[in-house]
Amino acid sequence: MKTLLIVYHSLTGGTRQMAEAAARAAQGEEGVTVRLLRAVDAGPADVLAADGYLFAAPENLASLAGLMKDFFDRCYYPVLGQANGRPYAVMICAGSDGSNALRQLERIATGWRLKAIAPGLIVCTHAQTPERILAPKVIEADDLARCAELGAGLAAGLAAGVF
């Protein structure tokens, strides 16, 4: 049995919806256990117990959200050298662009020596005013379908031993 760890942070619900869509789709893959954890609840033991990862984070101020960065910071030294080559994918929930947050997370994954299995997925909510930025998000069905596809693909690759 393989384990897919999905770690996410979400303040307004958008990233949570994306992570949940990916988790639901991944759970349909026989031979894969899916663990969905908030970044504040995930730690080195969770990382080391997993065979692959899906990281879902919001973009805040053109950067990776702080609590997601905190997860990576807390886990870096305890997992260094022990997760090398494991597959990962990334989802970013952004108000505008998301590319800086994606780039930052990809650089972190390079430092962890993980292997990207898909291009980063960015969902843009177009939240550009204080009211819209802080408002609860509703991710559109087509974007949730892309998240589900990424989760299912990662789980299928783990189950088949492709990664």
Side-chain angles (χ1 to χ4, degrees):
M1 185 68 92
K2 300 287 186 170
T3 299
L4 171 60
L5 176 63
I6 302 174
V7 178
Y8 75 95
H9 169 64
S10 188
L11 182 63
T12 61
T15 308
R16 178 187 47 77
Q17 292 167 58
M18 293 166 59
E20 288 173 347
R24 277 191 303 275
Q27 288 167 345
E29 186 63 43
E30 191 172 319
V32 176
T33 298
V34 178
R35 297 194 63 220
L36 177 65
L37 294 176
R38 294 178 326 138
V40 297
D41 298 325
D46 301 304
V47 173
L48 293 173
D51 301 289
Y53 315 99
L54 180 54
F55 303 117
E59 170 194 57
N60 288 351
L61 300 171
S63 185
L64 187 64
L67 287 177
M68 195 69 184
K69 175 74 167 54
D70 171 73
F71 157 75
F72 288 112
D73 289 345
R74 284 185 290 108
C75 294
Y76 179 70
Y77 288 113
V79 306
L80 186 61
Q82 299 180 67
N84 293 7
R86 292 184 191 176
Y88 83 96
V90 176
M91 299 185 301
I92 301 293
C93 186
S96 58
D97 176 84
S99 62
N100 271 350
L102 175 60
R103 194 167 25 258
Q104 191 176 11
L105 205 153
E106 289 172 338
R107 289 186 62 145
I108 290 168
T110 297
W112 277 30
R113 296 167 184 85
L114 302 178
K115 179 182 176 186
I117 58 92
L121 188 158
I122 298 174
V123 171
C124 184
T125 64
H126 305 287
Q128 293 299 299
T129 65
E131 297 79 20
R132 289 194 63 201
I133 290 169
L134 294 172
K137 304 296 182 287
V138 176
I139 304 301
E140 299 292 330
D142 59 331
D143 287 324
L144 291 176
R146 294 190 307 143
C147 298
E149 183 179 333
L150 184 57
L154 183 49
L158 284 174
V162 174
F163 306 128

